[in-house]
Tab-separated table of all heavy atoms in Angstrom:
chain	number	residue	atom	x	y	z
K	1	HIS	N	0.890	-1.185	0.012
K	1	HIS	CA	0.042	0.034	0.034
K	1	HIS	C	0.886	1.221	-0.012
K	1	HIS	O	2.047	1.125	0.472
K	1	HIS	CB	-0.857	0.003	1.320
K	1	HIS	CG	-1.970	1.005	1.189
K	1	HIS	ND1	-1.778	2.335	1.625
K	1	HIS	CD2	-3.277	0.956	0.805
K	1	HIS	CE1	-2.895	3.010	1.512
K	1	HIS	NE2	-3.809	2.234	1.010
K	2	VAL	N	0.363	2.346	-0.471
K	2	VAL	CA	1.227	3.542	-0.551
K	2	VAL	C	1.648	3.968	0.798
K	2	VAL	O	2.786	4.550	0.947
K	2	VAL	CB	0.384	4.701	-1.273
K	2	VAL	CG1	-0.879	5.104	-0.427
K	2	VAL	CG2	1.180	5.901	-1.499
K	3	TYR	N	1.012	3.693	1.871
K	3	TYR	CA	1.376	4.037	3.217
K	3	TYR	C	2.595	3.150	3.665
K	3	TYR	O	3.365	3.593	4.635
K	3	TYR	CB	0.382	3.886	4.250
K	3	TYR	CG	-0.785	4.909	4.068
K	3	TYR	CD1	-2.165	4.434	4.461
K	3	TYR	CD2	-0.698	6.134	3.536
K	3	TYR	CE1	-3.147	5.335	4.348
K	3	TYR	CE2	-1.735	6.992	3.512
K	3	TYR	CZ	-2.967	6.617	3.874
K	3	TYR	OH	-4.094	7.519	3.781
K	4	LEU	N	2.836	2.067	2.968
K	4	LEU	CA	3.968	1.248	3.397
K	4	LEU	C	5.214	1.571	2.603
K	4	LEU	O	6.369	1.021	3.028
K	4	LEU	CB	3.548	-0.275	3.152
K	4	LEU	CG	2.556	-0.811	4.037
K	4	LEU	CD1	2.047	-2.139	3.555
K	4	LEU	CD2	2.988	-0.846	5.536
K	5	TRP	N	5.133	2.236	1.530
K	5	TRP	CA	6.324	2.461	0.693
K	5	TRP	C	7.539	3.097	1.425
K	5	TRP	O	8.678	2.661	1.160
K	5	TRP	CB	5.952	3.400	-0.459
K	5	TRP	CG	5.036	2.764	-1.489
K	5	TRP	CD1	4.690	1.416	-1.481
K	5	TRP	CD2	4.373	3.413	-2.559
K	5	TRP	NE1	3.777	1.247	-2.566
K	5	TRP	CE2	3.653	2.528	-3.233
K	5	TRP	CE3	4.382	4.800	-2.948
K	5	TRP	CZ2	2.797	2.812	-4.282
K	5	TRP	CZ3	3.532	5.087	-4.077
K	5	TRP	CH2	2.739	4.042	-4.781
K	6	LYS	N	7.337	3.959	2.338
K	6	LYS	CA	8.510	4.574	3.001
K	6	LYS	C	9.171	3.574	4.005
K	6	LYS	O	10.309	3.789	4.442
K	6	LYS	CB	8.142	5.863	3.687
K	6	LYS	CG	7.291	5.805	4.954
K	6	LYS	CD	7.101	7.135	5.488
K	6	LYS	CE	6.237	7.227	6.801
K	6	LYS	NZ	6.089	8.540	7.186
K	7	TYR	N	8.498	2.474	4.266
K	7	TYR	CA	9.028	1.555	5.257
K	7	TYR	C	9.638	0.224	4.542
K	7	TYR	O	10.618	-0.256	5.037
K	7	TYR	CB	7.973	1.127	6.259
K	7	TYR	CG	7.424	2.222	7.005
K	7	TYR	CD1	6.119	2.720	6.655
K	7	TYR	CD2	8.076	2.786	8.108
K	7	TYR	CE1	5.631	3.791	7.447
K	7	TYR	CE2	7.679	3.921	8.764
K	7	TYR	CZ	6.415	4.378	8.498
K	7	TYR	OH	5.911	5.487	9.132
K	8	ASN	N	9.040	-0.072	3.446
K	8	ASN	CA	9.386	-1.350	2.766
K	8	ASN	C	10.183	-1.228	1.437
K	8	ASN	O	10.509	-2.164	0.829
K	8	ASN	CB	8.100	-2.142	2.510
K	8	ASN	CG	7.452	-2.626	3.706
K	8	ASN	OD1	8.043	-2.743	4.881
K	8	ASN	ND2	6.251	-3.072	3.613
K	9	ASN	N	10.399	0.090	1.031
K	9	ASN	CA	11.063	0.311	-0.170
K	9	ASN	C	12.377	1.133	0.008
K	9	ASN	O	12.479	1.802	1.134
K	9	ASN	CB	10.181	1.027	-1.122
K	9	ASN	CG	9.002	0.216	-1.666
K	9	ASN	OD1	9.114	-1.011	-1.658
K	9	ASN	ND2	7.919	0.881	-2.075
K	10	SER	N	13.128	1.241	-0.905
K	10	SER	CA	14.369	2.082	-0.846
K	10	SER	C	13.886	3.599	-0.780
K	10	SER	O	12.808	3.953	-1.360
K	10	SER	CB	15.272	1.990	-2.075
K	10	SER	OG	15.896	0.709	-2.060
K	11	LEU	N	14.653	4.451	-0.205
K	11	LEU	CA	14.372	5.868	-0.136
K	11	LEU	C	15.382	6.586	-1.017
K	11	LEU	O	16.412	6.050	-1.281
K	11	LEU	CB	14.505	6.314	1.320
K	11	LEU	CG	13.574	5.684	2.248
K	11	LEU	CD1	13.825	6.221	3.683
K	11	LEU	CD2	12.057	5.920	1.904
K	12	ALA	N	14.998	7.785	-1.417
K	12	ALA	CA	15.900	8.602	-2.337
K	12	ALA	C	15.799	9.953	-2.194
K	12	ALA	O	14.714	10.482	-1.707
K	12	ALA	CB	15.718	8.094	-3.814
K	13	ASP	N	16.803	10.772	-2.611
K	13	ASP	CA	16.711	12.191	-2.717
K	13	ASP	C	16.959	12.533	-4.239
K	13	ASP	O	17.618	11.887	-4.970
K	13	ASP	CB	17.963	12.793	-2.075
K	13	ASP	CG	17.893	12.696	-0.471
K	13	ASP	OD1	16.795	12.389	0.098
K	13	ASP	OD2	18.901	12.910	0.115
K	14	LEU	N	16.091	13.563	-4.601
K	14	LEU	CA	16.123	14.063	-6.086
K	14	LEU	C	16.701	15.460	-6.053
K	14	LEU	O	16.157	16.242	-5.415
K	14	LEU	CB	14.645	14.047	-6.587
K	14	LEU	CG	14.537	14.621	-7.990
K	14	LEU	CD1	15.453	13.924	-9.038
K	14	LEU	CD2	13.153	14.662	-8.462
K	15	PHE	N	17.799	15.614	-6.711
K	15	PHE	CA	18.390	16.948	-6.940
K	15	PHE	C	18.075	17.418	-8.366
K	15	PHE	O	18.082	16.589	-9.261
K	15	PHE	CB	19.859	16.928	-6.593
K	15	PHE	CG	20.085	16.714	-5.230
K	15	PHE	CD1	20.255	15.296	-4.805
K	15	PHE	CD2	20.320	17.734	-4.316
K	15	PHE	CE1	20.551	15.146	-3.493
K	15	PHE	CE2	20.592	17.481	-3.041
K	15	PHE	CZ	20.748	16.129	-2.490
K	16	PHE	N	17.966	18.696	-8.574
K	16	PHE	CA	17.632	19.136	-9.900
K	16	PHE	C	18.437	20.505	-10.171
K	16	PHE	O	18.958	21.124	-9.272
K	16	PHE	CB	16.113	19.511	-10.048
K	16	PHE	CG	15.723	20.802	-9.419
K	16	PHE	CD1	15.378	21.920	-10.166
K	16	PHE	CD2	15.639	20.913	-8.082
K	16	PHE	CE1	14.921	23.106	-9.550
K	16	PHE	CE2	15.180	22.082	-7.353
K	16	PHE	CZ	14.809	23.127	-8.215
K	17	LYS	N	18.610	20.830	-11.522
K	17	LYS	CA	19.315	21.928	-11.877
K	17	LYS	C	18.835	22.371	-13.311
K	17	LYS	O	18.561	21.508	-14.075
K	17	LYS	CB	20.806	21.677	-12.025
K	17	LYS	CG	21.578	22.962	-12.296
K	17	LYS	CD	23.097	22.724	-12.263
K	17	LYS	CE	23.771	24.086	-12.430
K	17	LYS	NZ	25.063	24.177	-11.881
K	18	GLY	N	18.574	23.668	-13.445
K	18	GLY	CA	18.105	24.126	-14.702
K	18	GLY	C	17.083	25.179	-14.683
K	18	GLY	O	16.693	25.587	-13.537
K	19	VAL	N	16.565	25.554	-15.852
K	19	VAL	CA	15.550	26.591	-15.984
K	19	VAL	C	14.459	26.085	-16.779
K	19	VAL	O	14.664	25.451	-17.775
K	19	VAL	CB	16.198	27.881	-16.582
K	19	VAL	CG1	15.166	29.004	-16.852
K	19	VAL	CG2	17.371	28.509	-15.868
K	20	CYS	N	13.283	26.423	-16.391
K	20	CYS	CA	12.099	26.002	-17.145
K	20	CYS	C	11.359	27.328	-17.596
K	20	CYS	O	11.180	28.265	-16.768
K	20	CYS	CB	11.198	25.152	-16.256
K	20	CYS	SG	9.675	24.668	-17.049
K	21	TYR	N	10.854	27.347	-18.767
K	21	TYR	CA	10.063	28.441	-19.254
K	21	TYR	C	8.671	28.390	-19.171
K	21	TYR	O	7.849	29.347	-19.288
K	21	TYR	CB	10.520	28.691	-20.717
K	21	TYR	CG	12.009	28.938	-20.887
K	21	TYR	CD1	12.825	27.968	-21.303
K	21	TYR	CD2	12.538	30.183	-20.477
K	21	TYR	CE1	14.136	28.147	-21.466
K	21	TYR	CE2	13.918	30.329	-20.510
K	21	TYR	CZ	14.719	29.348	-21.051
K	21	TYR	OH	16.042	29.618	-21.106
K	22	ASP	N	8.106	27.191	-18.760
K	22	ASP	CA	6.674	27.056	-18.448
K	22	ASP	C	6.542	26.286	-17.131
K	22	ASP	O	6.128	25.149	-17.014
K	22	ASP	CB	5.970	26.329	-19.593
K	22	ASP	CG	4.502	26.290	-19.508
K	22	ASP	OD1	3.955	26.943	-18.477
K	22	ASP	OD2	3.871	25.854	-20.363
K	23	ILE	N	6.806	27.071	-16.042
K	23	ILE	CA	6.659	26.460	-14.756
K	23	ILE	C	5.251	25.937	-14.430
K	23	ILE	O	5.059	24.934	-13.800
K	23	ILE	CB	7.147	27.470	-13.643
K	23	ILE	CG1	8.714	27.595	-13.751
K	23	ILE	CG2	6.750	27.102	-12.341
K	23	ILE	CD1	9.396	28.555	-12.831
K	24	ASN	N	4.267	26.680	-14.834
K	24	ASN	CA	2.899	26.198	-14.583
K	24	ASN	C	2.635	24.828	-15.214
K	24	ASN	O	1.942	23.970	-14.527
K	24	ASN	CB	1.850	27.284	-15.103
K	24	ASN	CG	1.873	28.563	-14.380
K	24	ASN	OD1	2.153	28.522	-13.158
K	24	ASN	ND2	1.516	29.682	-14.954
K	25	GLN	N	3.112	24.577	-16.381
K	25	GLN	CA	3.027	23.320	-17.013
K	25	GLN	C	3.714	22.196	-16.178
K	25	GLN	O	3.195	21.113	-15.901
K	25	GLN	CB	3.584	23.231	-18.481
K	25	GLN	CG	3.587	21.871	-19.072
K	25	GLN	CD	2.189	21.352	-19.360
K	25	GLN	OE1	1.320	22.111	-19.535
K	25	GLN	NE2	2.096	20.039	-19.336
K	26	VAL	N	4.880	22.530	-15.675
K	26	VAL	CA	5.640	21.536	-14.825
K	26	VAL	C	4.904	21.298	-13.589
K	26	VAL	O	4.776	20.021	-13.047
K	26	VAL	CB	7.057	22.077	-14.478
K	26	VAL	CG1	7.785	21.197	-13.418
K	26	VAL	CG2	7.891	22.348	-15.741
K	27	VAL	N	4.323	22.263	-12.911
K	27	VAL	CA	3.549	22.194	-11.660
K	27	VAL	C	2.350	21.255	-11.873
K	27	VAL	O	2.123	20.370	-11.064
K	27	VAL	CB	3.102	23.575	-11.111
K	27	VAL	CG1	2.103	23.381	-9.974
K	27	VAL	CG2	4.324	24.368	-10.600
K	28	ARG	N	1.580	21.515	-13.021
K	28	ARG	CA	0.476	20.705	-13.382
K	28	ARG	C	0.876	19.225	-13.490
K	28	ARG	O	0.239	18.266	-12.967
K	28	ARG	CB	-0.082	21.119	-14.725
K	28	ARG	CG	-1.317	22.066	-14.514
K	28	ARG	CD	-2.059	22.317	-15.851
K	28	ARG	NE	-1.199	22.806	-16.906
K	28	ARG	CZ	-0.824	24.030	-17.134
K	28	ARG	NH1	-1.197	24.957	-16.342
K	28	ARG	NH2	-0.062	24.339	-18.164
K	29	GLU	N	1.921	19.029	-14.378
K	29	GLU	CA	2.370	17.666	-14.589
K	29	GLU	C	2.843	16.950	-13.237
K	29	GLU	O	2.498	15.705	-13.037
K	29	GLU	CB	3.542	17.599	-15.560
K	29	GLU	CG	3.044	17.964	-16.972
K	29	GLU	CD	4.274	17.910	-17.954
K	29	GLU	OE1	5.152	17.093	-17.721
K	29	GLU	OE2	4.204	18.658	-18.963
K	30	LEU	N	3.546	17.736	-12.412
K	30	LEU	CA	3.921	17.107	-11.089
K	30	LEU	C	2.761	16.695	-10.318
K	30	LEU	O	2.753	15.538	-9.787
K	30	LEU	CB	4.796	18.105	-10.359
K	30	LEU	CG	6.321	18.140	-10.801
K	30	LEU	CD1	6.951	19.384	-10.257
K	30	LEU	CD2	7.104	16.926	-10.434
K	31	TYR	N	1.771	17.530	-10.154
K	31	TYR	CA	0.611	17.216	-9.374
K	31	TYR	C	-0.140	16.078	-9.935
K	31	TYR	O	-0.551	15.082	-9.181
K	31	TYR	CB	-0.233	18.485	-9.118
K	31	TYR	CG	0.200	19.275	-8.009
K	31	TYR	CD1	0.755	20.491	-8.162
K	31	TYR	CD2	0.001	18.875	-6.668
K	31	TYR	CE1	1.180	21.334	-7.182
K	31	TYR	CE2	0.392	19.673	-5.539
K	31	TYR	CZ	0.911	20.860	-5.858
K	31	TYR	OH	1.426	21.628	-4.813
K	32	ILE	N	-0.423	16.071	-11.184
K	32	ILE	CA	-1.177	14.976	-11.827
K	32	ILE	C	-0.489	13.611	-11.744
K	32	ILE	O	-1.059	12.686	-11.281
K	32	ILE	CB	-1.434	15.340	-13.264
K	32	ILE	CG1	-2.521	16.448	-13.399
K	32	ILE	CG2	-1.944	14.112	-14.110
K	32	ILE	CD1	-2.640	17.063	-14.770
K	33	ASN	N	0.770	13.657	-12.116
K	33	ASN	CA	1.637	12.402	-12.030
K	33	ASN	C	1.744	11.875	-10.670
K	33	ASN	O	1.688	10.691	-10.337
K	33	ASN	CB	2.959	12.504	-12.714
K	33	ASN	CG	2.774	12.526	-14.253
K	33	ASN	OD1	2.496	11.579	-14.851
K	33	ASN	ND2	2.871	13.694	-14.734
K	34	HIS	N	2.042	12.814	-9.686
K	34	HIS	CA	2.131	12.286	-8.286
K	34	HIS	C	0.867	11.713	-7.768
K	34	HIS	O	0.819	10.642	-7.175
K	34	HIS	CB	2.651	13.493	-7.428
K	34	HIS	CG	2.748	13.159	-5.999
K	34	HIS	ND1	3.925	12.646	-5.401
K	34	HIS	CD2	1.821	13.177	-4.960
K	34	HIS	CE1	3.745	12.362	-4.103
K	34	HIS	NE2	2.382	12.726	-3.848
K	35	SER	N	-0.288	12.497	-7.956
K	35	SER	CA	-1.498	12.082	-7.534
K	35	SER	C	-1.960	10.756	-8.104
K	35	SER	O	-2.481	9.839	-7.429
K	35	SER	CB	-2.594	13.144	-7.902
K	35	SER	OG	-3.797	12.713	-7.197
K	36	ASN	N	-1.673	10.514	-9.346
K	36	ASN	CA	-1.906	9.215	-9.961
K	36	ASN	C	-1.128	8.108	-9.346
K	36	ASN	O	-1.625	6.991	-9.128
K	36	ASN	CB	-1.688	9.205	-11.542
K	36	ASN	CG	-2.730	10.012	-12.241
K	36	ASN	OD1	-3.783	10.321	-11.731
K	36	ASN	ND2	-2.369	10.460	-13.414
């Protein structure tokens, strides 16, 4: 179950670098993909 992932799976850190010209699109995609 999603509530078990932080206990039974590997953990990770995500680092990023760069510039995006359509931040609103990135925010939308992040929320939709994460929620799914």
Side-chain angles (χ1 to χ4, degrees):
H1 190 276
V2 64
Y3 293 152
L4 293 171
W5 291 349
K6 73 179 182 182
Y7 302 103
N8 293 341
N9 296 336
S10 291
L11 301 175
D13 292 344
L14 172 61
F15 293 88
F16 76 109
K17 184 174 184 157
V19 177
C20 176
Y21 299 104
D22 190 357
I23 287 181
N24 291 332
Q25 176 65 28
V26 176
V27 169
R28 263 191 308 278
E29 287 180 31
L30 282 165
Y31 275 106
I32 289 168
N33 286 285
H34 177 90
S35 183
N36 288 341

